Amino acid sequence: MVKVCIGSNKLLLELREYHDFNWLKAVKVFTIFDQQDSGNICFGIIENDERYFIKYAGARNLEYTGDIKSAIKRLKEAKKVYQHIDHPLLIQCIGTFQTEQGYGLKFKWVEGECMHNHWDFTPFEKYNSPDSPFVKLRSLS
């Protein structure tokens, strides 16, 4: 395990192996979502006084056991899906970027809940607990 401090406020990121996050030096990172099992690590950033959400593939977090190149490929393919489902009520993908070791999508920041927070809900609870964000969404009209 490798621990990496991110940003001026030294947020801790735990990885299976070292990864260069120098591309984050130009922004302020205010939160990290690093327990994803998808091969992505997500960041809440502030850039030019605006908040954004970054979904990044290329670094091996503790939860992801798959191939990094596959994670990058899936995220690149996801860009097409976000373009296809573009709607004012859904999070808006506003750009992509490439690093030496990975690929990222940039979104406008919105307040919300994670739909697949496996660290709070077991697979059964995700689909059945009334407190699950997934169940809450599915119960909307």
Side-chain angles (χ1 to χ4, degrees):
M1 177 174 54
V2 176
K3 295 182 180 186
V4 180
C5 287
I6 302 289
S8 59
N9 49 351
K10 308 269 191 239
L11 295 175
L12 187 63
L13 176 58
E14 295 181 332
L15 303 170
R16 290 186 184 267
E17 56 197 32
Y18 176 77
H19 187 84
D20 183 358
F21 284 99
N22 281 332
W23 54 271
L24 284 169
K25 285 186 174 182
V27 299
K28 180 181 180 187
V29 178
F30 64 88
T31 193
I32 300 174
F33 304 94
D34 62 347
Q35 296 181 25
Q36 310 300 319
D37 59 0
S38 62
N40 299 318
I41 298 174
C42 302
F43 303 91
I45 67 165
I46 299 173
E47 182 178 48
N48 300 322
D49 296 324
E50 295 288 331
R51 287 181 173 231
Y52 298 99
F53 178 77
I54 301 292
K55 185 179 276 196
Y56 179 77
R60 186 177 302 284
N61 68 8
L62 297 182
E63 298 295 325
Y64 183 62
T65 57
D67 179 58
I68 291 296
K69 289 180 182 177
S70 295
I72 293 169
K73 182 180 179 201
R74 280 192 312 276
L75 190 58
K76 286 180 177 181
E77 291 169 354
K79 169 63 172 144
K80 297 172 192 167
V81 174
Y82 286 112
Q83 288 173 321
H84 181 72
I85 64 170
D86 186 33
H87 188 277
L89 296 177
L90 298 175
I91 190 169
Q92 184 180 13
C93 183
I94 58 172
T96 64
F97 62 94
Q98 185 81 42
T99 69
E100 280 189 38
Q101 299 173 295
Y103 179 80
L105 300 178
K106 184 177 181 181
F107 301 84
K108 291 184 176 183
W109 179 266
V110 296
E111 294 298 326
E113 293 181 86
C114 178
M115 297 303 297
H116 180 65
N117 48 348
H118 58 87
W119 49 92
D120 289 331
F121 296 94
T122 66
F124 177 80
E125 291 170 329
K126 173 187 174 182
Y127 296 106
N128 296 287
S129 171
D131 295 327
S132 162
F134 184 85
V135 171
K136 289 179 195 176
L137 176 70
R138 300 293 292 187
S139 68
L140 295 174
S141 60

